[in-house]
Amino acid sequence: MKGHRITSLRAVVVGFVAMLAMVLGVGTASAHSAVIGSSPENGAQIAAAPQQVSLQFNEALHQNFASLTVVGPDGNLWSKGDPTVQGDTLSVPLDGLGPAGEYTIAFRVTSADGHPISGTQVFTLTQEGVGTPGPKAAAPTGSSDEVSDSSGLIWVFVGIGVVVFGGGLWFALRRPRGQG
């Protein structure tokens, strides 16, 4: 009977390890859109303003609710007009840049799986530009490649797994009735 208990315990442990591997793998399996390239590149130093700023993602984006702004070191908007989505690329036109310094590209898009993705990138203008600024920008709300996600759901699965494992362990280790 002791051999049966050890076999049952092994089965429960193997099951728990397999379930844990599945739960930890959920993050990769449900990956969202990610920026894979930009123009200008993140962290780049440029001497003159490009005609537009664009971000390329690893998958096609939804057309709705896309946002892309460029904010200068003076706190003003330097992007002009509405952003456009073409497949996996989001872009917005510029009409020149102004003061030398760090410019922040802020984006918010809806990925192909329906999740909103937001974040920021930066580039530095090394020589003063002659563009005309837009209005003052609102305070930034995103950080670099921030993903809005319901990752709390993972902890629900972990909790269920712990309860199932505990119950299986109890069942495997309990003594059969009538034996003492």
Side-chain angles (χ1 to χ4, degrees):
M1 194 65 161
K2 190 170 189 163
H4 177 67
R5 247 190 235 155
I6 291 174
T7 304
S8 296
L9 180 60
R10 284 183 185 158
V12 170
V13 169
V14 167
F16 178 72
V17 169
M19 185 215 43
L20 187 60
M22 285 189 337
V23 168
L24 294 177
V26 166
T28 1
S30 64
H32 304 295
S33 295
V35 176
I36 59 172
S38 63
S39 177
E41 290 183 19
N42 190 26
Q45 296 196 6
I46 60 173
Q51 290 187 359
Q52 71 177 7
V53 167
S54 61
L55 299 173
Q56 183 181 10
F57 292 80
N58 63 334
E59 62 185 11
L61 304 170
H62 282 284
Q63 297 281 335
N64 300 337
F65 312 114
S67 171
L68 180 62
T69 59
V70 179
V71 178
D74 56 357
N76 290 324
L77 284 173
W78 289 89
S79 47
K80 306 291 182 193
D82 293 327
T84 57
V85 174
Q86 291 182 335
D88 64 353
T89 304
L90 175 67
S91 58
V92 69
L94 298 177
D95 188 18
L97 293 175
E102 187 174 87
Y103 284 75
T104 301
I105 303 167
F107 65 90
R108 182 170 176 85
V109 296
T110 304
S111 65
D113 65 2
H115 285 86
I117 309 299
S118 61
T120 60
Q121 293 197 350
V122 297
F123 66 89
T124 301
L125 182 66
T126 59
Q127 297 178 15
E128 189 96 8
V130 293
T132 304
K136 285 286 186 191
T141 58
S143 63
S144 183
D145 293 337
E146 175 183 305
V147 175
S148 174
D149 193 5
S150 57
S151 60
L153 187 60
I154 290 173
W155 290 110
V156 170
F157 288 118
V158 169
I160 291 170
V162 167
V163 169
V164 168
F165 175 72
L169 186 61
W170 172 81
F171 184 76
L173 295 177
R174 72 180 176 92
R175 291 184 178 199
R177 292 186 182 209
Q179 292 186 2

